[in-house]
Amino acid sequence: MRLSLSLFTALIAVAGCASTADTEPKPKGVAKYADDPRLGEEVDRICFASNIDSFGDNTRDTFTVREGRDYYLIEIFGSCPPLQHAMTMRMDSTMNCLTAGDHVIVSDSLTTSSSTPFSKSRCLVKSIYKWDPKAGEAEDASETKSDDAGAPEQES
């Protein structure tokens, strides 16, 4: 019995060591989009922040917004748990321009009163980047056309 217990313990220890192998941490924030053609240059502000009419592509530390015809990717410091599933969002900015250091108030609830105490959070803006949601589509379309050009024609 003692031998089987020792063997079982050794097996668990080896399995535990195997699961902690050197793996590179996943990039966070804007680093996730380093090779993404949609990511543009960093900007210092979004003016008329009260006119932001939609948001999306939420993760725990980034989201996109649309202000008129312009799109932006906003990165926040750390992690903001309700951001990933946000239903409502409000910009808490000074002088009607959202800048790094301002806050975004997000909630994963549609109502102001929620039974979940962590459904609302105030997130600190770290950086703002231009965002082009159609940038990847142009490359995909040109790749499809070049693939079709190389295909042999069939006789009827």
Side-chain angles (χ1 to χ4, degrees):
M1 170 83 173
R2 182 167 220 154
L3 179 63
S4 64
L5 184 59
S6 298
L7 183 60
F8 179 72
T9 304
L11 184 62
I12 297 269
V14 169
C17 291
S19 66
T20 59
D22 290 337
T23 58
E24 290 186 32
K26 292 182 180 179
K28 295 182 179 180
V30 174
K32 291 183 282 198
Y33 304 101
D35 296 329
D36 195 319
R38 298 172 296 175
L39 183 64
E41 72 275 358
E42 186 171 4
V43 297
D44 62 347
R45 68 188 68 233
I46 304 172
C47 285
F48 308 107
S50 61
N51 293 334
I52 291 175
D53 46 12
S54 67
F55 66 92
D57 300 319
N58 303 10
T59 67
R60 292 178 69 95
D61 52 12
T62 61
F63 63 98
T64 60
V65 296
R66 184 180 75 170
E67 190 274 320
R69 293 183 180 183
D70 298 323
Y71 290 83
Y72 300 91
L73 177 74
I74 299 174
E75 177 182 27
I76 60 149
F77 278 105
S79 175
C80 187
L83 180 60
Q84 191 168 5
H85 305 288
M87 299 294 282
T88 59
M89 185 176 295
R90 182 172 64 88
M91 306 298 164
D92 188 12
S93 60
T94 58
M95 304 300 289
N96 209 21
C97 289
L98 183 71
T99 62
D102 287 335
H103 290 90
V104 177
I105 299 162
V106 297
S107 175
D108 58 7
S109 174
L110 288 174
T111 62
T112 55
S113 62
S114 175
S115 61
T116 308
F118 301 109
S119 69
K120 186 175 179 183
S121 189
R122 186 176 161 120
C123 311
L124 183 62
V125 175
K126 181 178 182 180
S127 57
I128 304 169
Y129 291 82
K130 285 281 202 176
W131 185 256
D132 182 1
K134 296 181 181 179
E137 294 173 10
E139 287 182 9
D140 291 343
S142 65
E143 286 177 12
T144 303
K145 287 180 182 178
S146 65
D147 289 345
D148 291 344
E153 291 187 27
Q154 295 179 356
E155 292 181 22
S156 350

